[in-house]
Amino acid sequence: MTISAPHWDLTNVYPSLESKEFKAAVEDYKKQVASFGKFFKNKLSKAGPKSKARELAPLIGEAIDRINKIQTLSSTIFPYIYSFVTTNSRDKVAMKTLSEMEQASLPMSQLFTQFTAWVGVNAQKLGDVVKLNPSAKAHAFMLKESAQQSKYLMSEIEEQLAAEMSLSGGNAFGKLQGSVVSQMSVEFELDGKVEKMPMPALINLRSHPDEATRRRGYEAENIAWEGVKETLAACLNGVKGETVVLNKRRGRKDAVHSAIDAARLDRKTLEAMLEAMKDSFPMFRKYFKSKAKKIGKKQLAWWDIFAPLGKTDKVYSYEEARDFILENFEKFSPDLSMFAKRAFDENWIDAEQREGKRGGAFCTEVQGLKESRILCNFDGSFDQVSTLAHELGHAFHNECAYQANKTVLQQLTPMTLAETASTMCETIITEAVLATTKDPQEELAVLEAQIQGAGQVVVDIYSRFLFEKEVFERREQSELSADDFNDIMERAQKATYGNGIDEKYLQKFMWTWKPHYYSSGLSFYNFPYAFGLLFATGLYAIYQQRGEAFVQDYKNLLASTGEESAAKLAKRFGIDITTRKFWDDSLAIIGKRIDRFCKL
């Protein structure tokens, strides 16, 4: 069945990549960066530890104002270019423009690193500086964090070289992986008709109601990955190899070190969460076994994990998905519903599955317009409805910051807290349906989707964490083969899914298409999803207790996720994330859903 879904509209950003407006924006960006470079060289760099706070204050304030202005423009230009690259990897103009803009942005990347180092040198005077300048005061948290992270910088020359080399190193390997995967398509027979299916569409067959179709999709997918596994293994080796070298040079203990700093967590908090997740595996295996029984099997195979239950004949049109989301968002907050309606009405969403388009889903902000854009691959399943709600949550998170007049630097949210609103929005639509449905089959379908998602975020995410951890440890010694990656992934899945899944039919190629592994500047983009689920689950429990009074506090939290650590923001709601109790309590809520599921 073909599902009609829209393409996004960015004509209000720039008319086209070759328009005079776009080219003028790029030139403006270059001029601002050059001007900031002169300012840094002629004024900022001449001030140092011997300078008085009253001399440093206006310089830091001006630097912050300049950076915000430059980053606002950058965060308008880059999303616009990516809107073409991610929806059509064969667009040569877009790919060339992206490469040119990446080159043009190098000086700013280097300047920001120099500024971070400079802030570190002057760290002792920051307390007085923020009292003397309004811009510095408004960005006190960012300045303090910059001073702390400056300890992990190489020399100025080494950082400049690393930034330049990344374009032909890790960044290039990441782009190659994206191009290879997005351009893959497979001849597949569906509903009696042979068609050429892009990989995202083939992967989405995992939720097809017919087991034979799901299995054939799984087998076709694995055959396709076999043909490109060596190319993708080279990409992953390149990305992880670059990260290993830079982490050592910067004095990082390991790859996790930089990830938890970026997430604004500490190891104690991460370990508490991971231990709670690990202890919950038997609970999720109980769910997997119950699901297997419900579909008439002794044990689930990989292609059964996403098998629909309940009203399996339900396929949402895009319009039905829209109405479903808006209706349930309204129950939580009229502001959320009105915002989502705007996103739909103004075509912020690119939802159609097509060849050349990236798989998965994401939300990106267009800072110059204070808007967001969403990419997904909508196929009519409830899973994709949930994904759409998830990405709208990210967009609402951005909107809360815009409404609070936060600057770009004040919006630099860690990965952990970045998943809060998105996971909350998923919870809103599923919980609202579960609270009102009288149809056992609908209840089963919605509950299944909810627990299935939780299983992915707790069980599968843990396997991805184990996979990436071992890859980093072994990559320090040598490159890994595609078969090595397959072996590590399969063992990680056995360790987490256990006897909940038939170990003869796991998915050893999971590493090939997940873009999170292929970013040299962003490692371990896995545990933040678990944090987001469990943190949002805990927040939703508080919402159920407080009702409407909760919403404004929640919006204020979203607006300020770039200005405090995760632990301190959590304390606003009386939550202590450094101990096991919070994580255990959140997982217990999911456990009750699993019990309810097993009884159906």
Side-chain angles (χ1 to χ4, degrees):
M1 178 179 178
T2 301
I3 303 293
S4 176
H7 295 197
W8 50 24
D9 179 14
L10 287 101
T11 55
N12 64 330
V13 186
Y14 305 109
S16 73
L17 286 171
E18 297 176 299
S19 67
K20 62 180 182 181
E21 290 87 349
F22 176 76
K23 292 178 179 178
V26 172
E27 286 305 309
D28 184 24
Y29 172 81
K30 292 177 181 178
K31 288 178 181 178
Q32 286 191 44
V33 173
S35 177
F36 181 54
K38 291 179 181 177
F39 168 76
F40 188 92
K41 179 181 179 180
N42 298 330
K43 293 185 178 180
L44 208 61
S45 65
K46 295 186 183 304
K50 294 182 179 180
S51 302
K52 296 180 179 179
R54 66 173 181 270
E55 297 169 339
L56 294 173
L59 293 174
I60 289 179
E62 183 175 347
I64 288 171
D65 293 342
R66 283 174 177 264
I67 292 171
N68 272 320
K69 188 176 179 182
I70 292 169
Q71 294 302 89
T72 297
L73 187 53
S74 172
S75 297
T76 306
I77 294 172
F78 269 112
Y80 185 72
I81 301 172
Y82 279 124
S83 74
F84 294 93
V85 172
T86 56
T87 54
N88 181 11
S89 61
R90 299 183 190 276
D91 188 330
K92 294 181 180 179
V93 172
M95 297 298 282
K96 182 174 182 291
T97 304
L98 176 60
S99 178
E100 290 172 346
M101 190 60 196
E102 286 174 339
Q103 290 284 351
S105 66
L106 259 180
M108 186 58 202
S109 175
Q110 294 167 342
L111 282 167
F112 194 80
T113 300
Q114 289 176 284
F115 177 69
T116 299
W118 183 87
V119 170
V121 170
N122 293 283
Q124 292 185 344
K125 299 236 175 62
L126 290 180
D128 293 327
V129 164
V130 297
K131 297 175 184 177
L132 298 170
N133 184 275
S135 290
K137 183 178 181 180
H139 296 80
F141 176 78
M142 183 275 289
L143 291 170
K144 181 180 178 182
E145 186 176 53
S146 294
Q148 292 170 339
Q149 293 305 307
S150 68
K151 296 183 296 183
Y152 303 109
L153 289 176
M154 299 180 289
S155 69
E156 183 178 325
I157 293 175
E158 287 175 315
E159 287 291 350
Q160 288 178 351
L161 180 61
E164 291 174 16
M165 292 296 291
S166 70
L167 294 185
S168 54
N171 186 58
F173 279 120
K175 287 200 288 187
L176 176 59
Q177 183 269 346
S179 295
V180 169
V181 173
S182 66
Q183 292 177 17
M184 290 175 67
S185 59
V186 175
E187 295 281 348
F188 192 84
E189 183 181 341
L190 186 62
D191 299 329
K193 180 183 177 182
V194 176
E195 55 183 294
K196 201 170 186 180
M197 298 187 72
M199 287 306 287
L202 187 69
I203 292 169
N204 279 346
L205 289 178
R206 61 189 183 176
S207 59
H208 196 280
D210 176 55
E211 184 189 355
T213 300
R214 295 196 304 272
R215 180 168 187 164
R216 286 192 301 110
Y218 166 86
E219 291 169 346
E221 183 187 338
N222 284 355
I223 291 171
W225 295 132
E226 278 288 349
V228 295
K229 68 179 185 180
E230 297 302 338
T231 300
L232 297 178
C235 291
L236 194 52
N237 273 303
V239 170
K240 298 310 185 191
E242 177 181 288
T243 304
V244 165
V245 170
L246 291 177
N247 278 338
K248 284 184 177 180
R249 289 284 185 175
R250 288 170 176 153
R252 294 289 186 180
K253 295 178 182 177
D254 52 28
V256 178
H257 185 188
S258 58
I260 58 176
D261 277 4
R264 293 181 187 147
L265 294 178
D266 54 35
R267 286 184 190 263
K268 180 183 177 183
T269 300
L270 177 62
E271 287 168 4
M273 184 181 75
L274 290 175
E275 287 171 6
M277 289 166 64
K278 186 176 181 180
D279 288 346
S280 75
F281 292 164
M283 176 180 83
F284 282 99
R285 290 167 188 166
K286 175 183 173 183
Y287 151 69
F288 292 135
K289 291 174 182 177
S290 177
K291 179 169 183 175
K293 187 176 180 181
K294 284 176 169 57
I295 64 173
K297 299 184 72 170
K298 290 184 178 179
Q299 203 171 24
L300 295 179
W302 189 270
W303 59 80
D304 296 318
I305 293 175
F306 297 93
L309 290 176
K311 285 191 174 181
T312 56
D313 59 338
K314 175 64 176 176
V315 177
Y316 292 82
S317 69
Y318 187 75
E319 291 71 24
E320 287 173 329
R322 171 189 180 277
D323 294 343
F324 179 79
I325 289 170
L326 293 180
E327 176 187 351
N328 288 301
F329 278 7
E330 176 74 23
K331 295 175 184 177
F332 178 80
S333 164
D335 287 348
L336 175 60
S337 182
M338 284 189 294
F339 170 76
K341 184 177 185 300
R342 180 187 172 200
F344 283 112
D345 290 350
E346 297 182 11
N347 287 328
W348 289 6
I349 303 165
D350 193 295
E352 184 194 42
Q353 299 181 98
R354 56 190 184 275
E355 186 182 0
K357 180 179 176 180
R358 292 286 178 95
F362 66 78
C363 173
T364 185
E365 51 186 333
V366 186
Q367 279 283 352
L369 276 67
K370 304 302 179 190
E371 295 180 356
S372 296
R373 290 297 185 273
I374 290 167
L375 180 144
C376 63
N377 285 273
F378 187 79
D379 64 357
S381 67
F382 185 80
D383 178 60
Q384 283 298 310
V385 176
S386 179
T387 295
L388 187 51
H390 179 102
E391 300 306 331
L392 283 165
H394 282 302
F396 184 67
H397 193 159
N398 295 338
E399 180 67 11
C400 288
Y402 297 152
Q403 292 294 326
N405 294 315
K406 299 296 183 181
T407 67
V408 177
L409 292 176
Q410 289 171 330
Q411 291 179 57
L412 295 176
T413 296
M415 296 181 291
T416 39
L417 294 169
E419 295 301 328
T420 303
S422 53
T423 308
M424 177 71 86
C425 282
E426 284 188 68
T427 305
I428 288 168
I429 63 167
T430 51
E431 286 292 331
V433 175
L434 287 172
T436 57
T437 184
K438 296 180 181 180
D439 182 347
Q441 286 299 302
E442 183 180 27
E443 179 183 5
L444 181 62
V446 175
L447 200 56
E448 152 65 14
Q450 188 180 58
I451 300 171
Q452 179 193 103
Q456 285 296 290
V457 172
V458 176
V459 182
D460 199 69
I461 283 293
Y462 199 105
S463 75
R464 296 183 217 174
F465 177 83
L466 292 177
F467 169 81
E468 193 162 1
K469 187 171 182 292
E470 183 172 341
V471 166
F472 268 121
E473 290 169 352
R474 291 177 58 176
R475 185 62 184 85
E476 288 187 30
Q477 307 304 319
S478 67
E479 289 188 352
L480 290 86
S481 68
D483 290 340
D484 287 333
F485 290 130
N486 284 349
D487 175 64
I488 297 169
M489 181 59 80
E490 210 162 34
R491 283 190 287 102
Q493 290 170 351
K494 287 178 182 178
T496 53
Y497 285 94
N499 61 9
I501 302 292
D502 188 339
E503 65 176 33
K504 296 191 300 294
Y505 301 107
L506 298 172
Q507 182 43 287
K508 61 186 179 182
F509 285 115
M510 179 64 79
W511 59 272
T512 57
W513 65 277
K514 284 289 182 185
H516 297 160
Y517 296 126
Y518 295 86
S519 170
S520 56
L522 191 62
S523 303
F524 289 100
Y525 200 170
N526 36 58
F527 69 78
Y529 280 105
F531 185 102
L533 169 70
L534 300 177
F535 187 56
T537 298
L539 287 179
Y540 191 83
I542 296 173
Y543 161 67
Q544 289 178 308
Q545 296 169 2
R546 293 178 53 190
E548 189 178 340
F550 167 87
V551 177
Q552 189 56 52
D553 287 342
Y554 171 69
K555 289 170 64 178
N556 291 339
L557 171 76
L558 295 180
S560 55
T561 52
E563 299 178 279
E564 198 50 88
S565 69
K568 288 188 178 179
L569 286 170
K571 281 187 177 180
R572 293 186 184 182
F573 292 89
I575 295 171
D576 182 1
I577 63 172
T578 64
T579 65
R580 275 283 301 263
K581 186 179 186 307
F582 169 72
W583 307 111
D584 287 334
D585 289 349
S586 289
L587 284 160
I589 294 172
I590 298 171
K592 290 179 180 178
R593 296 169 188 161
I594 291 175
D595 290 340
R596 182 175 173 182
F597 172 87
C598 293
K599 291 176 182 177
L600 290 174

